[in-house]
Amino acid sequence: LKNILGTAYHETTFFKRLEENINKENANKTYKTVYYPESGKFHCNCPGRWRAFDGKCKHIKALELKVNK
């Protein structure tokens, strides 16, 4: 997990997480996509996450592909 290109790995006493910051083109927006390996859950703060039927925005799907390689 620590060697996935474009991500930052953080480990604390409480949990581990893998973060990826996405800069939206044509706007001043940055979205954070996070993977928690201990629970296997993903989170993204973009509006597409709650719009998606399955709760997985394009940022989560892209990070899932990187993690599952």
Side-chain angles (χ1 to χ4, degrees):
L1 282 178
K2 294 179 184 179
N3 298 326
I4 296 177
L5 187 62
T7 62
Y9 182 78
H10 301 280
E11 188 171 335
T12 67
T13 55
F14 298 109
F15 58 87
K16 300 172 188 170
R17 70 183 187 272
L18 185 70
E19 290 183 2
E20 183 174 45
N21 291 319
I22 295 101
N23 293 320
K24 184 176 177 184
E25 294 179 19
N26 303 328
N28 260 347
K29 294 271 184 181
T30 301
Y31 300 121
K32 185 186 292 186
T33 308
V34 182
Y35 170 62
Y36 298 96
E38 292 172 347
S39 65
K41 295 187 178 185
F42 291 84
H43 177 75
C44 186
N45 64 349
C46 79
R49 183 175 184 270
W50 58 267
R51 286 185 199 152
F53 179 72
D54 60 357
K56 294 181 180 180
C57 65
K58 64 182 179 181
H59 309 120
I60 289 176
K61 290 176 182 177
L63 187 56
E64 274 183 326
L65 288 175
K66 289 180 181 180
V67 168
N68 295 326
K69 266 189 175 178

